[in-house]
Amino acid sequence: MFICQIFKKQGFDLVPHPIVKGTSKRPDFLAVKNDFEFYIEVKEANYVTESEVASSKRESAILDAINRLIISDFWLVIKELTIKSAAQPSGKSIARAIKLKIEEFASGCLPMPMNSKENDELGSVIGDIVIDNDDVRVVIDLLPQSKKAIKGEGSIGVYPMQTFWGGPEDSIRTSIRKKATRYGELDKPYLICINALSTKGVSREGVEFALLGSPTVIYSADPGACEGKWKFEKDGVFLSARGPQLTRESGVLVTNVFPSNIHVAPHWFYKHPFARNELYFSEFDLSYHHLVGSY
């Protein structure tokens, strides 16, 4: 686990699966440095919904079928891929339709949608091929290959751009809540570490929304007060509408670490303001956050 390297670099020895009194379950690690000891639980959070996973699999099946096409002289630029229904469109049927349209363009049966320009440089887009039915819409540009281009495996030169709605907060909250009460009452501080792995990325704002609560704006009843005041709803990890919660955990470390960025991986280290077993954050050579004032 790459996240463990963070603590090893801090000089901690990590004892895997230590025994905890009162339960047969074991945390991932016991971190030990001199007289300083605490438990560590590590969890990956890949925050995509089940529907997003299903949609991604259907899109991948279509793209794989298109990529297996043998197309000479052109790269395929996938400008749009939209699945309209819950059905799985046939990737082979879509690929056959694309191949047929390219052949019709080449034979002169169909006019090229845009001006054709012969040159040896990539970047001259010839036109759109559109496959549009009840289940799927695919829009493809034909990009002429340079005579110097090396044709690799697959016919797709550019994949569709991905856009996302939402952030990591729901997945981070869920991951922490699953781990927070797993071991009952603990005799040492307990740190939950979340490695947020996703193409969507992770930010300080998203982490804070997960831990502190969803952001909301409160406006004064005074008609002369134009500006609102930001506050957190009591739906975060540390505090609910009923008061402090998950107090068995002492803190949360959220990071986004993988093999190529382990030396520069960002981290967000938060002290639980209501923890039963205090974790001394000053013992770490890591920047951290703690709450000051009312919450």
Side-chain angles (χ1 to χ4, degrees):
M1 297 180 183
F2 298 110
I3 200 169
C4 296
Q5 298 299 322
I6 294 174
F7 297 102
K8 290 181 179 179
K9 287 185 177 181
Q10 298 287 309
F12 288 94
D13 293 323
L14 299 182
V15 181
H17 306 298
I19 296 174
V20 176
K21 294 180 180 180
T23 178
S24 59
K25 298 176 182 178
R26 299 188 179 189
D28 289 326
F29 299 98
L30 174 66
V32 180
K33 184 168 71 172
N34 300 324
D35 296 331
F36 185 28
E37 297 183 354
F38 63 97
Y39 298 115
I40 295 176
E41 189 76 1
V42 179
K43 173 74 174 176
E44 287 187 357
N46 193 348
Y47 46 97
V48 291
T49 65
E50 291 183 3
S51 62
E52 287 175 321
V53 171
S55 178
S56 178
K57 289 181 179 179
R58 289 187 289 161
E59 290 177 2
S60 294
I62 295 171
L63 292 171
D64 287 345
I66 295 174
N67 202 38
R68 285 194 292 269
L69 285 171
I70 299 175
I71 307 294
S72 60
D73 302 324
F74 297 103
W75 298 110
L76 302 183
V77 178
I78 313 298
K79 293 175 65 177
E80 180 184 345
L81 173 55
T82 303
I83 297 178
K84 301 179 182 180
S85 70
Q88 171 65 65
S90 171
K92 291 183 179 180
S93 296
I94 294 169
R96 283 196 298 268
I98 293 169
K99 180 76 170 179
L100 179 60
K101 285 205 173 187
I102 293 175
E103 291 173 350
E104 290 175 335
F105 288 147
S107 67
C109 295
L110 286 177
M112 281 293 184
M114 296 177 64
N115 293 329
S116 176
K117 180 180 178 182
E118 293 184 2
N119 55 41
D120 291 338
E121 300 298 328
L122 290 177
S124 177
V125 177
I126 287 184
D128 288 347
I129 292 175
V130 180
I131 309 296
D132 198 347
N133 55 42
D134 292 339
D135 295 324
V136 67
R137 175 178 169 83
V138 185
V139 180
I140 295 176
D141 266 0
L142 295 178
L143 184 64
Q145 291 183 24
S146 166
K147 293 178 181 179
K148 300 175 183 178
I150 299 174
K151 183 70 172 180
E153 294 184 1
S155 61
I156 297 177
V158 180
Y159 283 83
M161 182 178 296
Q162 291 182 302
T163 57
F164 305 106
W165 291 95
E169 46 267 29
D170 286 341
S171 178
I172 292 174
R173 283 193 194 113
T174 299
S175 298
I176 293 172
R177 285 167 177 161
K178 285 182 178 179
K179 297 294 186 179
T181 59
R182 182 174 173 80
Y183 305 105
E185 297 298 331
L186 293 168
D187 58 339
K188 294 179 176 64
Y190 177 40
L191 179 66
I192 297 178
C193 302
I194 304 295
N195 197 13
L197 300 177
S198 174
T199 55
K200 295 181 180 181
V202 63
S203 66
R204 175 178 173 177
E205 289 78 11
V207 174
E208 288 188 344
F209 297 163
L211 301 180
L212 307 182
S214 304
T216 187
V217 181
I218 298 177
Y219 291 95
S220 172
D222 182 357
C226 298
E227 295 184 359
K229 181 180 179 181
W230 283 97
K231 66 166 290 186
F232 292 109
E233 294 284 358
K234 294 181 179 180
D235 61 354
V237 167
F238 296 150
L239 187 67
S240 72
R242 294 181 292 180
Q245 64 175 356
L246 307 183
T247 55
R248 295 172 188 173
E249 61 172 308
S250 306
V252 175
L253 172 69
V254 179
T255 187
N256 176 229
V257 61
F258 42 90
S260 63
N261 80 335
I262 191 168
H263 60 298
V264 293
H267 74 271
W268 297 270
F269 201 13
Y270 282 81
K271 185 175 184 179
H272 196 313
F274 311 109
R276 300 182 194 179
N277 294 316
E278 183 177 1
L279 183 62
Y280 297 106
F281 277 46
S282 58
E283 296 292 327
F284 298 93
D285 186 22
L286 293 170
S287 60
Y288 65 92
H289 304 273
H290 63 94
L291 300 176
V292 177
S294 61
Y295 173 48

